[in-house]
Amino acid sequence: MSSALRLDGPFQRPDHPDDPPRPLGKIMAAARPDAQSALLHDLRSWLSEERSRLRGAFEAGLDPEQAIYGYARTIDALIGALLDFARGRLYPLANPTRGERLAVVAVGGYGRGELAPFSDIDLLFLHPYKRTPHGEQMIEFLLYKLWDLGLKVGQATRSVDDCIRLARSDVTICTSLLEARLIWGDEPLFDGFETRFAREVLHGSSIAFVEAKLAERDARHQRTGDSRYLLEPNVKEGKGGLRDLHTLFWLGRFLYRIDQPADLIGHGVLTRATLRKFLVARKFLWAVRCHLHYLTGRAEERLTFDLQPEVARRMGYRDRKTSRAVERFMKRYYLIAKEVGSLTRIFCASIEERHKRPRLTLARLGLGRRRVDGMLIQGGRIGPEDAKLFEREPMAMLRLFHLAQERDLDIHPEALRLITLNLKRVDQHLRDDPAANACFLALLTSRKAPDRTLRRMNEAGLLGRFLPEFGRIVAQMEHSLYHVYTVDEHTIQAIGVIHEIEQGALRDELPLATKLMPKILSRTELLVALLFHDLGKGRGGDHSEIGADLVAQAGPRLGLSPEQTETVVWLVRHHLLMSRVAFKRDIEDPKTVADLVERVQSPERLRLLLIMTAADIRAVGPGVWNGWKGQLLRDLYHEAEAAMAGGDWTARAVQRVEAKQQVLTRELPGWAPAAIRAYLDRHDPRYWLSFDTAAQRWHADLVRAAEREGRPLTIEFRVDRFRARTEMVLFAPDHSGLFMKVVGALALSGVSIVDARIFTTTDGMALDSFGIQNADDLSAVADDGRLGRIRANVERALMGEIALDRALAGRRSQPQRALAIEVERRVLVDNNASRTHTVIEVNGRDRPGLLFRLARALKDLGMVISSAHISTYGERVVDVFYVKDVFGLKVTQPTKIRRIQRELDRALREDVEAAPAGAGRTAAPA
């Protein structure tokens, strides 16, 4: 049985700089079988020194390839030394039998000779036909020593027959064994395994393996988000990550028995240019992965927000005037991921095509071929009939995507390769070509999944090349928890939402947008506006204004008329208008609607803006859109539509109040007329305009029951799952600080407050409504037990049983990684947004208890809050308060305004991350 390390097998790097680990000979020679703890101590010191040496060299600029292969060599040496010691000193065999042979084999990534700093060490203990006591002793000794050294080991003990049987039935095991490399032990045993593996597993099963690996890849992408543009990507498993490069290599090794990616050139799968791209991408991703492991001290594969700035710094990125280092680094990451996607897509599609089972179809006999406009359609795929077509006629690249879109065809991988080779031919001459722009506009406005076509063009690099304005935001990220995708992917997703609206697929989720879509007269303008709405990002300044300027220049080039260009420019400039008004302003305030109508002016623009806003928000990421946001936008739309229809708002409001009171009167059959009249007179007009009839009926019954039973405090809940909102209504004697205490208790209960409407009846009772959601997933709070605990917290807070300041200290709603994102503080005091109230807008970092602290500051300033509107964008919160002073007037004195800004800014800065010593009694979280 040989103990020599196998240095001539697959995956070894003869051209790799020889920098072996420090020899273990002295340590092992001095080790005594009866002094295992001393041996473990010496090995731990040796391993720590070797890891430190590799880390130091890597962080000083060593190629990540050398660090990864160097660590694998280190583990090789460690395992070999331990097994030599065990066989020679602990469990010697003078005359081992054939059944006592043992081979220790590296599999998986370790089999390739690659080990990231904290990767698992995957081992296969290979024996001839059955386990023996001696083999068990050797394996047990090695595993315990590796575990004692703090290493994570994945291991399996199998016979050669077991390996062959499992490899034929399990693609994961087959892949792992595909990369098997002998570390220590019986070479003839391992050679025999390799021979049988090649003959009985690899031979004749290439089709099944290719199909299984591609299916496995697709399933992995689904698990990790199915986008290479997620803002916190998984470097190893995510789309465009290292595992995609591994898949490419596995397929090449299975099909062509290669040992290195460079070997694929000889089989015509990679060119020298694509090999360079493969190696550059692998080197970059290896470097990122090593930094992640070293920074966290564990096998961290996710590039989270808190790690991104430090990884960027370590990889040499620095801030510039118009862009931050972290954003430039992440843009490079996404471009690499895009390159990996292009490589793996073309490679996998090529070998899939080359190794398909022959089928006797019309297409294969040549009878199913069709030639259309210089393109060849065969077997559901389209490509150029002549490999020189794109070189002679660059516009044919656009035509290819349009034909594929209209005929629902896949694009042949060879066509994608030819597009990559000819991207340089997409020049200003083509961009100015009316026919090329007409073709592009046709595919953008097609009713056949334009988002899928745009994504294909973006992946191929053609979209950004033809539309340089778009090319600037390819792989552009925003360092924010609110955004899930890069700017280019978000833009394409938004266009996809429009397609889903048109298909009726979002009727339940976006009912108004679905209803309005067939009525719009400016569909082309809407889609062009969505394409350009965020193209101003990353240039410094207001991206809406920059985007409007960009589309003003691009509109005529794309073939838009002056009227169309004007509409698109307006939509891009104002694409955030409706969401800002709906989420930050009191819709029942007449000035809110009047200001919106003054800007919009046209019913068609109002319809376009509503649809564009819904698509934009829904495309931000999963869970960002919900029914409550939809309801706010619908309410605002209907108010603006009514205002545009004409008539005096004040007169219309009076009519609406009277109509609502009449409807409610009919909904209270058990009430005496005098009681109904008295109840109606208790509320001011703002109340009647703020709720629908169902809510007003609920409130009336709640108030009547509370007064009949003599309850000093009533708290009730109503769950609205569609709008993802639970309404909590509180009825109690009004007093200073009531709002502050309630929002503090709700923060203590672990819920998010999305809105608050505060009313005082004519007889001094508070009837306050709070919209709340679960903080984790922004859904309606529906659990009866939890609602009971929320009620108890509010009651105790109002009775003074909870010291809210201390109870909220140290609570954190956002993950630690969110603290790495900078959030600017801002306090705006606006006396023009409302005719009756001063509107205060507060921007800052979200955290538990912030609304409580802001409310406390406003109370101390003598402000009376009429309504509060809370919007959360990832780590950032925007709270808007409609306030008056104690005399019921707006705040207009400059000194008072400056004091408000100063005190609210102080509340934003308050450190609530660490609880003060001796914190008092707290309520249990709900």
Side-chain angles (χ1 to χ4, degrees):
M1 184 184 299
S2 168
S3 64
L5 297 185
R6 182 73 163 255
L7 297 178
D8 58 344
F11 315 110
Q12 295 305 318
R13 307 275 303 193
D15 58 332
H16 191 280
D18 189 15
D19 186 19
R22 185 163 53 91
L24 275 162
K26 290 184 178 179
I27 293 176
M28 304 312 296
R32 294 180 9 228
D34 59 345
Q36 296 291 306
S37 60
L39 172 61
L40 190 62
H41 176 270
D42 291 342
L43 290 175
R44 189 175 287 119
S45 297
W46 176 87
L47 183 59
S48 177
E49 289 174 10
E50 289 303 308
R51 280 179 153 175
S52 295
R53 178 179 65 84
L54 289 169
R55 178 173 183 170
F58 170 72
E59 292 179 344
L62 180 72
D63 190 317
E65 177 180 292
Q66 298 181 40
I68 282 175
Y69 282 104
Y71 186 44
R73 288 165 65 95
T74 297
I75 299 302
D76 283 353
L78 175 64
I79 290 174
L82 283 170
L83 289 169
D84 281 345
F85 176 77
R87 189 194 60 183
R89 309 277 292 279
L90 297 178
Y91 314 112
L93 278 176
N95 295 301
T97 65
R98 288 179 57 83
E100 289 175 318
R101 292 181 298 162
L102 178 67
V104 180
V105 180
V107 293
Y110 182 33
R112 288 193 304 275
E114 302 170 6
L115 271 184
F118 289 92
S119 290
D120 291 2
I121 298 162
D122 293 325
L123 296 174
L124 167 66
F125 297 104
L126 189 66
H127 56 85
Y129 42 85
K130 67 177 181 178
R131 299 187 184 188
T132 64
H134 180 265
E136 296 281 2
Q137 289 175 319
M138 294 284 289
I139 294 169
E140 183 177 288
F141 170 80
L142 176 65
L143 290 177
Y144 275 111
K145 284 293 179 286
L146 295 178
W147 291 334
D148 288 342
L149 290 169
L151 299 173
K152 293 179 65 178
V153 184
Q155 52 89 22
T157 304
R158 299 188 182 117
S159 68
V160 176
D161 287 340
D162 291 337
C163 291
I164 302 303
R165 175 176 51 80
L166 291 170
R168 296 174 72 175
S169 62
D170 188 315
V171 70
T172 302
I173 294 175
C174 179
T175 306
S176 178
L177 294 175
L178 187 63
E179 301 176 305
R181 175 175 61 91
L182 181 65
I183 301 175
W184 180 95
D186 194 286
E187 289 190 32
L189 176 63
F190 179 74
D191 291 341
F193 154 74
E194 284 197 310
T195 300
R196 287 190 58 189
F197 184 79
R199 183 179 66 246
E200 300 177 32
V201 178
L202 301 185
H203 183 69
S205 58
S206 58
I207 299 170
F209 184 80
V210 168
E211 292 175 348
K213 292 310 292 183
L214 295 179
E216 183 183 73
R217 179 200 60 181
D218 293 342
R220 172 170 50 80
H221 288 169
Q222 288 293 332
R223 287 195 308 273
T224 55
D226 201 28
S227 173
R228 59 180 53 90
Y229 303 114
L230 294 173
L231 294 192
E232 292 187 308
N234 188 307
V235 176
K236 179 183 177 185
E237 300 287 346
K239 197 169 187 177
L242 278 166
R243 190 63 83 209
D244 280 359
L245 290 179
H246 295 160
T247 298
L248 185 155
F249 180 75
W250 290 330
L251 295 176
R253 176 148 174 79
F254 196 101
L255 296 171
Y256 306 116
R257 313 297 190 266
I258 63 167
D259 289 337
Q260 299 297 333
D263 299 338
L264 289 169
I265 293 176
H267 295 279
V269 179
L270 292 182
T271 64
R272 292 193 179 278
T274 51
L275 174 65
R276 279 195 298 273
K277 292 179 180 179
F278 178 99
L279 296 176
V280 167
R282 186 176 68 173
K283 180 177 179 179
F284 178 86
L285 293 172
W286 269 352
V288 173
R289 191 181 183 204
C290 284
H291 282 302
L292 286 177
H293 282 214
Y294 283 135
L295 274 172
T296 60
R298 62 179 184 274
E300 177 61 67
E301 312 297 353
R302 194 169 170 222
L303 192 50
T304 55
F305 280 109
D306 55 325
L307 298 175
Q308 288 171 9
E310 180 60 20
V311 175
R313 187 191 68 77
R314 293 181 177 217
M315 293 188 69
Y317 291 85
R318 299 293 179 263
D319 289 341
R320 292 181 178 172
K321 288 184 179 180
T322 59
S323 60
R324 298 169 59 196
V326 64
E327 293 175 349
R328 292 176 51 243
F329 160 64
M330 290 305 296
K331 181 164 188 172
R332 174 64 174 161
Y333 176 89
Y334 296 123
L335 290 173
I336 286 289
K338 182 171 176 284
E339 194 69 67
V340 171
S342 176
L343 281 170
T344 54
R345 183 178 63 252
I346 294 173
F347 175 89
C348 293
S350 296
I351 61 175
E352 182 186 13
E353 178 73 13
R354 189 177 299 185
H355 291 273
K356 276 183 177 178
R357 291 187 179 92
R359 294 171 183 163
L360 194 61
T361 62
L362 292 177
R364 288 189 175 276
L365 292 173
L367 301 178
R369 295 181 178 180
R370 286 174 289 161
R371 290 172 173 80
V372 180
D373 206 6
M375 305 296 170
L376 180 66
I377 301 172
Q378 182 178 7
R381 285 175 168 169
I382 186 171
E385 186 175 8
D386 178 2
K388 299 289 185 180
L389 176 64
F390 298 153
E391 184 178 340
R392 293 193 312 270
E393 189 183 346
M395 184 189 154
M397 290 185 271
L398 290 169
R399 197 165 65 241
L400 170 76
F401 283 98
H402 190 215
L403 285 169
Q405 178 184 53
E406 292 305 305
R407 296 169 182 257
D408 195 23
L409 298 167
D410 286 334
I411 296 175
H412 197 283
E414 179 62 15
L416 294 173
R417 188 184 72 82
L418 291 172
I419 288 172
T420 301
L421 292 176
N422 288 281
L423 282 177
K424 60 182 178 295
R425 302 186 185 281
V426 180
D427 54 15
Q428 196 59 43
H429 178 74
L430 180 66
R431 297 183 194 111
D432 292 334
D433 184 349
N437 282 285
C439 181
F440 176 74
L441 203 59
L443 63 85
L444 170 64
T445 59
S446 172
R447 296 184 185 273
K448 293 188 174 181
D451 56 312
R452 183 176 63 183
T453 302
L454 291 172
R455 189 171 286 108
R456 283 174 167 180
M457 291 177 66
N458 193 32
E459 294 282 353
L462 180 60
L463 180 55
R465 187 77 182 183
F466 180 74
L467 198 66
E469 299 90 342
F470 190 91
R472 283 285 298 269
I473 55 93
V474 170
Q476 177 73 39
M477 72 162 295
E478 294 182 78
H479 202 56
S480 161
L481 289 179
Y482 178 64
H483 297 90
V484 177
Y485 303 109
T486 54
V487 179
D488 55 330
E489 178 64 12
H490 160 73
T491 300
I492 294 171
Q493 294 259 4
I495 292 170
V497 173
I498 295 295
H499 177 64
E500 290 184 276
I501 290 172
E502 287 189 308
Q503 298 298 309
L506 300 177
R507 185 176 288 106
D508 294 337
E509 196 174 340
L510 304 175
L512 181 58
T514 302
K515 178 182 176 182
L516 294 177
M517 193 69 204
K519 298 180 180 180
I520 64 169
L521 305 174
S522 310
R523 181 177 177 276
T524 295
E525 292 90 316
L526 173 64
L527 288 163
V528 174
L530 273 171
L531 181 64
F532 275 82
H533 80 283
D534 276 351
L535 299 197
K537 289 187 173 180
R539 295 172 181 254
D542 184 340
H543 79 277
S544 299
E545 292 293 336
I546 295 171
D549 292 342
L550 290 174
V551 79
Q553 299 171 24
R557 186 180 85 229
L558 291 172
L560 300 183
S561 68
E563 294 80 9
Q564 287 178 308
T565 300
E566 181 187 7
T567 298
V568 175
V569 168
W570 187 90
L571 284 171
V572 173
R573 178 170 284 123
H574 297 292
H575 73 271
L576 297 175
L577 173 62
M578 204 162 192
S579 60
R580 284 172 174 166
V581 174
F583 304 153
K584 297 182 182 180
R585 295 291 181 259
D586 187 346
I587 299 173
E588 304 306 331
D589 188 316
K591 185 110 177 12
T592 297
V593 177
D595 288 347
L596 177 67
V597 170
E598 184 180 353
R599 285 207 189 182
V600 176
Q601 298 181 349
S602 151
E604 173 72 356
R605 283 186 175 179
L606 182 64
R607 288 189 287 267
L608 291 169
L609 198 57
L610 181 282
I611 296 169
M612 187 173 181
T613 303
D616 187 17
I617 296 173
R618 196 180 182 279
V620 169
V624 174
W625 176 268
N626 58 38
W628 174 238
K629 290 178 180 177
Q631 189 63 51
L632 289 174
L633 288 169
R634 287 190 291 273
D635 290 346
L636 177 59
Y637 173 86
H638 291 309
E639 288 293 334
E641 183 186 42
M644 286 181 179
D648 177 63
W649 191 93
T650 303
R652 193 169 65 249
V654 171
Q655 293 172 357
R656 288 176 60 203
V657 169
E658 292 175 350
K660 287 202 169 189
Q661 289 179 340
Q662 291 172 8
V663 171
L664 181 63
T665 299
R666 294 193 295 269
E667 293 287 323
L668 302 174
W671 290 46
I676 292 176
R677 187 71 257 166
Y679 181 78
L680 299 181
D681 290 343
R682 294 175 75 173
H683 299 294
D684 64 23
R686 194 170 61 88
Y687 170 81
W688 298 107
L689 297 173
S690 297
F691 297 98
D692 59 23
T693 300
Q696 290 168 354
R697 166 67 189 272
W698 179 47
H699 297 166
D701 290 341
L702 180 150
V703 169
R704 189 184 196 194
E707 293 183 335
R708 180 183 296 160
E709 298 169 15
R711 284 179 281 165
L713 172 62
T714 297
I715 299 170
E716 295 295 340
F717 301 92
R718 186 175 65 157
V719 179
D720 187 339
R721 295 182 187 274
F722 174 72
R723 293 194 294 170
R725 176 181 182 272
T726 295
E727 181 182 358
M728 185 190 85
V729 168
L730 177 144
F731 182 64
D734 198 9
H735 65 273
S736 177
L738 178 68
F739 175 79
M740 173 192 72
K741 293 175 183 177
V742 172
V743 298
L746 291 174
L748 195 63
S749 302
V751 296
S752 291
I753 305 170
V754 294
D755 71 282
R757 286 175 281 186
I758 301 152
F759 303 94
T760 302
T761 63
T762 56
D763 55 349
M765 297 295 290
L767 182 64
D768 295 346
S769 169
F770 297 85
I772 61 174
Q773 296 175 326
N774 286 304
D776 52 353
D777 61 0
L778 302 184
S779 61
V781 183
D783 178 73
D784 289 339
R786 189 168 190 213
L787 292 174
R789 293 191 292 275
I790 293 172
R791 178 187 286 110
N793 278 353
V794 175
E795 290 173 347
R796 293 181 62 199
L798 292 178
M799 290 187 288
E801 296 181 7
I802 304 173
L804 289 169
D805 271 324
R806 288 181 290 178
L808 289 168
R811 287 179 173 263
R812 180 183 297 152
S813 63
Q814 293 184 336
Q816 181 69 29
R817 57 193 172 87
L819 300 178
I821 301 171
E822 296 180 10
V823 178
E824 295 293 332
R825 301 189 312 274
R826 187 173 62 167
V827 179
L828 304 173
V829 180
D830 187 352
N831 276 307
N832 297 317
S834 171
R835 294 190 181 98
T836 55
H837 291 76
T838 293
V839 179
I840 301 174
E841 179 179 320
V842 180
N843 295 254
R845 182 182 295 282
D846 190 22
R847 61 184 187 237
L850 176 60
L851 185 57
F852 164 74
R853 286 168 172 77
L854 296 173
R856 181 185 61 189
L858 289 171
K859 170 184 171 293
D860 293 343
L861 289 162
M863 297 293 100
V864 178
I865 302 172
S866 296
S867 67
H869 308 266
I870 294 88
S871 301
T872 304
Y873 305 93
E875 70 289 343
R876 184 171 63 92
V877 69
V878 180
D879 291 347
V880 177
F881 304 93
Y882 279 68
V883 304
K884 294 180 179 180
D885 64 18
V886 292
F887 302 107
L889 302 173
K890 282 186 174 184
V891 181
T892 57
Q893 304 91 336
T895 55
K896 183 71 170 180
I897 290 174
R898 286 196 295 271
R899 188 181 170 206
I900 289 172
Q901 291 174 318
R902 184 172 61 252
E903 293 303 316
L904 291 180
D905 185 70
R906 180 177 291 128
L908 287 172
R909 294 198 316 267
E910 284 183 6
D911 182 13
V912 296
E913 294 301 329
R921 180 177 50 180
T922 65

